[in-house]
Amino acid sequence: MLIVLSPAKSLDLETPPTTKLHTTPDFLDRSSALIDVLRHYSPPELASLMHLSDTLADLNVGRYASWSKDTSDARQAIMAFNGDVYAGFDARTLKPGQLDYAQHSVRILSGLYGVLRPLDLIHPHRLEMGTKLATPHGKDLYAFWGETVTGALNEAIAAKGAKVLVNLASQEYFKSVKPKLLSVPVVTPVFEDWKGGKYKIISFFAKRARGLMARYAAVKGIVDAEKLKSFKVDGYAFDKHDSDDRTWMFRRKVEG
């Protein structure tokens, strides 16, 4: 199987990586083209485009100005991303063999880089896939990346001999994938918590659970997606009754 994740808005640029192993992103020329577009935005214009505070807009204008295809001072994506998903993944505590599993079995969808392997080197940036950044390719990043993301996933699927793509990305990021063009079926785990008398998706917990499942796969070395149904972490468990072949429900009911 191949797993896809979303990236994170927040970055950890201080904590030392736990490995020196690294790879280079496949689409740096495409990333550079996006940076060239972004460099035309002033801080107020960027704040409006991305709905950022003035402080974050200033920060990212500076990041675009200093960005380059030279990755000598970059860090691995899995060691840089620092959101809820990556708190669950907790890559720094993975053993070398488990990191190797992640490198070959996990892909991170990215607005700037298209598709990343966990150990691909990246520079600090912010560019969400849903950003309506107009380029010569169209009105937004979905148009810019076109079928590139899907093609890259198909190459990884073929290289692994994977039979299933496990979608642990958000809707915003998975929209960059064209499922009908994938060479394998897609399974989407959904994580729900009991609240207010019913099960519902609570964003913070669901994001963390996606990372926890990716970590579970890496620690167990899972190659058969069906074995993910045995995932029982942080109180979640597979709900066979409300699942189907393509959507797998994982639910928890915390007492008190």
Side-chain angles (χ1 to χ4, degrees):
M1 67 178 180
L2 187 75
I3 296 170
V4 292
L5 295 173
S6 302
K9 296 178 185 177
S10 57
L11 303 172
D12 181 350
L13 305 175
E14 303 299 330
T15 307
T18 55
T19 180
K20 293 183 179 179
L21 297 175
H22 61 270
T23 44
T24 301
D26 288 332
F27 303 113
L28 283 179
D29 287 341
R30 302 291 303 276
S31 303
S32 183
L34 284 173
I35 291 292
D36 287 343
V37 174
L38 288 163
R39 282 174 175 160
H40 287 90
Y41 280 77
S42 67
E45 289 169 338
L46 192 70
S48 177
L49 175 70
M50 297 187 179
H51 310 291
L52 301 176
S53 67
D54 292 343
T55 300
L56 280 176
D58 286 337
L59 173 65
N60 283 285
V61 164
R63 286 172 170 174
Y64 302 145
S66 62
W67 191 95
S68 75
K69 290 193 287 184
D70 179 3
T71 57
S72 60
D73 62 343
R75 68 167 50 201
Q76 303 97 326
I78 200 68
M79 300 291 171
F81 291 133
N82 194 38
D84 301 325
V85 171
Y86 296 90
F89 204 167
D90 195 13
R92 285 184 176 80
T93 63
L94 291 177
K95 298 176 181 177
Q98 295 163 352
L99 272 177
D100 184 67
Y101 171 97
Q103 176 74 353
H104 291 94
S105 300
V106 176
R107 293 295 181 270
I108 303 167
L109 308 178
S110 167
L112 180 59
Y113 291 95
V115 179
L116 290 165
R117 290 162 294 208
L119 296 179
D120 280 351
L121 295 172
I122 64 171
H123 288 294
H125 67 281
R126 178 146 172 182
L127 184 60
E128 296 172 54
M129 188 64 83
T131 303
K132 291 182 170 58
L133 179 70
T135 72
H137 296 273
K139 65 180 181 179
D140 55 25
L141 293 178
Y142 300 117
F144 177 84
W145 287 110
E147 296 179 6
T148 302
V149 169
T150 307
L153 295 178
N154 276 333
E155 288 182 11
I157 287 164
K160 279 186 56 61
K163 303 299 183 185
V164 174
L165 185 141
V166 179
N167 172 26
L168 290 174
S170 66
Q171 290 183 2
E172 174 188 353
Y173 280 88
F174 200 70
K175 279 177 63 178
S176 67
V177 180
K178 300 183 184 303
K180 290 182 179 180
L181 299 181
L182 285 172
S183 57
V184 296
V186 177
V187 168
T188 302
V190 176
F191 301 92
E192 293 186 335
D193 284 77
W194 181 263
K195 186 175 182 180
K198 63 180 180 180
Y199 284 107
K200 61 178 66 176
I201 297 172
I202 300 175
S203 180
F204 167 79
F205 294 128
K207 288 178 181 178
R208 188 171 186 277
R210 291 178 200 141
L212 287 169
M213 178 168 279
R215 178 184 176 84
Y216 177 83
V219 169
K220 300 287 187 180
I222 293 173
V223 294
D224 179 1
E226 284 288 323
K227 292 187 177 180
L228 291 177
K229 291 179 179 178
S230 298
F231 175 83
K232 292 182 179 179
V233 180
D234 268 18
Y236 288 102
F238 178 64
D239 187 331
K240 181 179 179 180
H241 181 264
D242 283 335
S243 298
D244 57 36
D245 289 344
R246 296 291 175 259
T247 303
W248 293 357
M249 304 300 299
F250 292 83
R251 289 170 165 166
R252 69 176 177 180
K253 192 171 184 179
V254 179
E255 300 295 333

